[in-house]
Amino acid sequence: MLAIKNQTLSMAFETMIELSVLLYFVSLFACGVVGLIIGLYAAKYQSRRSNCIVINLQGTIAAGKSTQMNLLRKRYENDSTVAFVDEPLDLWVQHGLLEAYYKTQNSLKLFTGVGFHNSFFPATFQLVALITRARLFVAAIKPPHIKLVFAERSMHADLHVFANANLEGDANIAAYQLVYDSLQALIPSTCHHHFFLHIDTANAMSRIRTRGRKGEDLIDLKYMQDLDDGHTKMAKAYESETHTFDATQDPNALHDEIVAHVEDLRRSLHSF
């Protein structure tokens, strides 16, 4: 009886792997097509965006990025030259991707004992996250009157933090890098600044438990430490464009600091 059960589990696992491989290559093809569409759409506006400042609010999960985006919306609600790019979180949740992502992480750890990196889904999800973010960013900078964009995270974080934390295997990494480079080459050039909202892992974990967002109950400490390491490395890689803020302080005080830096950058741009 036990042998039959083990054989059934083995067959189920083999079937899952076969489907994973098939879906993985289908996803790569779809990502390539969408990337091409985004590139053709963005290239039309390449020459117009050199005078646009992009403020990327970077930080780990529960650093307070969404809170600051909401405060910035209120601050600049009457400024028609300002646009906002939220993380496509609602889109991912709507399609069940975020919860499936964390469930895949935990279920494959339990089922195989070797982690989840060899599953198709982490690679697929990271490519979906990258492309959906790029689409929203291109739409935000399209109007020529837009001079300032606030973005919740960025493609830079997708690559340096989340892809690095979640992808293993040469094929997965090479495929992701190819899509990333292709999009970056085609998306209009802008003046990027990374506002790093820094919070220690223990505080971030506490906030995650408190807010109780669907799917985030599956996040573990090791993953959060990996994200923290990735953000620290990204801040060093873009040191000249990175401004670090203490995200543990009162949100309104943090907001005032952010706005002061933003207005300094706007004055600097207009002085040329």
Side-chain angles (χ1 to χ4, degrees):
M1 186 70 179
L2 182 60
I4 294 175
K5 185 176 181 181
N6 288 338
Q7 184 179 10
T8 302
L9 286 173
S10 178
M11 291 174 63
F13 180 67
E14 289 176 3
T15 301
M16 181 181 71
I17 293 298
E18 290 172 358
L19 288 173
S20 297
V21 171
L22 175 62
L23 288 171
Y24 173 67
F25 283 106
V26 169
S27 70
L28 289 184
F29 175 76
C31 287
V33 172
V34 174
L36 177 61
I37 293 171
I38 291 174
L40 293 173
Y41 176 70
K44 294 169 59 178
Y45 307 99
Q46 185 79 29
S47 62
R48 300 182 185 179
R49 306 291 63 214
S50 59
N51 62 343
C52 181
I53 297 175
V54 178
I55 306 296
N56 299 307
L57 296 186
Q58 311 284 21
T60 192
I61 301 169
K65 300 177 298 298
S66 297
T67 298
Q68 291 305 316
M69 288 289 282
N70 290 333
L71 291 172
L72 289 165
R73 270 195 173 86
K74 292 179 181 178
R75 175 67 68 107
Y76 293 99
E77 62 182 350
N78 295 319
D79 191 336
S80 61
T81 68
V82 179
F84 294 86
V85 183
D86 293 308
E87 191 162 49
L89 183 65
D90 290 343
L91 191 62
W92 305 338
V93 171
Q94 176 187 343
H95 288 81
L97 300 180
L98 192 65
E99 187 175 12
Y101 171 72
Y102 291 127
K103 280 184 177 179
T104 300
Q105 174 180 352
N106 283 347
S107 64
L108 285 180
K109 284 179 182 177
L110 178 64
F111 193 79
T112 68
V114 295
F116 68 98
H117 297 288
N118 291 323
S119 167
F120 81 95
F121 196 79
T124 304
F125 179 75
Q126 294 306 319
L127 286 170
V128 168
L130 177 68
I131 290 174
T132 51
R133 189 189 309 281
R135 179 178 66 86
L136 294 179
F137 179 71
V138 169
I141 64 174
K142 172 186 173 181
H145 68 276
I146 295 298
K147 307 299 181 186
L148 174 63
V149 175
F150 290 100
E152 186 177 4
R153 290 207 178 102
S154 68
M155 292 171 61
H156 310 83
D158 286 339
L159 173 67
H160 294 283
V161 180
F162 291 92
N164 279 344
N166 288 286
L167 300 184
E168 287 187 359
D170 292 343
N172 283 337
I173 295 170
Y176 186 93
Q177 187 72 55
L178 177 60
V179 174
Y180 177 88
D181 291 342
S182 299
L183 289 174
Q184 285 287 26
L186 292 168
I187 288 177
S189 177
T190 53
C191 181
H192 281 268
H193 292 270
H194 303 286
F195 282 21
F196 179 28
L197 309 188
H198 183 261
I199 182 173
D200 61 274
T201 301
N203 268 320
M205 288 293 290
S206 176
R207 289 184 181 183
I208 289 171
R209 301 298 178 239
T210 299
R211 71 186 186 183
R213 182 176 290 171
K214 187 176 181 180
E216 288 187 349
D217 57 309
L218 300 171
I219 296 173
D220 60 23
L221 181 62
K222 173 63 168 61
Y223 183 62
M224 291 295 290
Q225 290 171 338
D226 289 343
L227 297 187
D228 186 58
D229 291 342
H231 279 101
T232 300
K233 291 176 181 177
M234 185 178 73
K236 291 180 179 178
Y238 298 100
E239 188 172 2
S240 62
E241 300 96 19
T242 297
H243 312 264
T244 302
F245 300 84
D246 178 9
T248 64
Q249 64 180 302
D250 176 77
N252 290 306
L254 174 58
H255 171 70
D256 290 339
E257 283 189 25
I258 289 173
V259 170
H261 279 273
V262 169
E263 293 306 316
D264 283 344
L265 290 172
R266 294 180 92 180
R267 284 191 289 270
S268 297
L269 180 66
H270 294 155
S271 66
F272 288 100

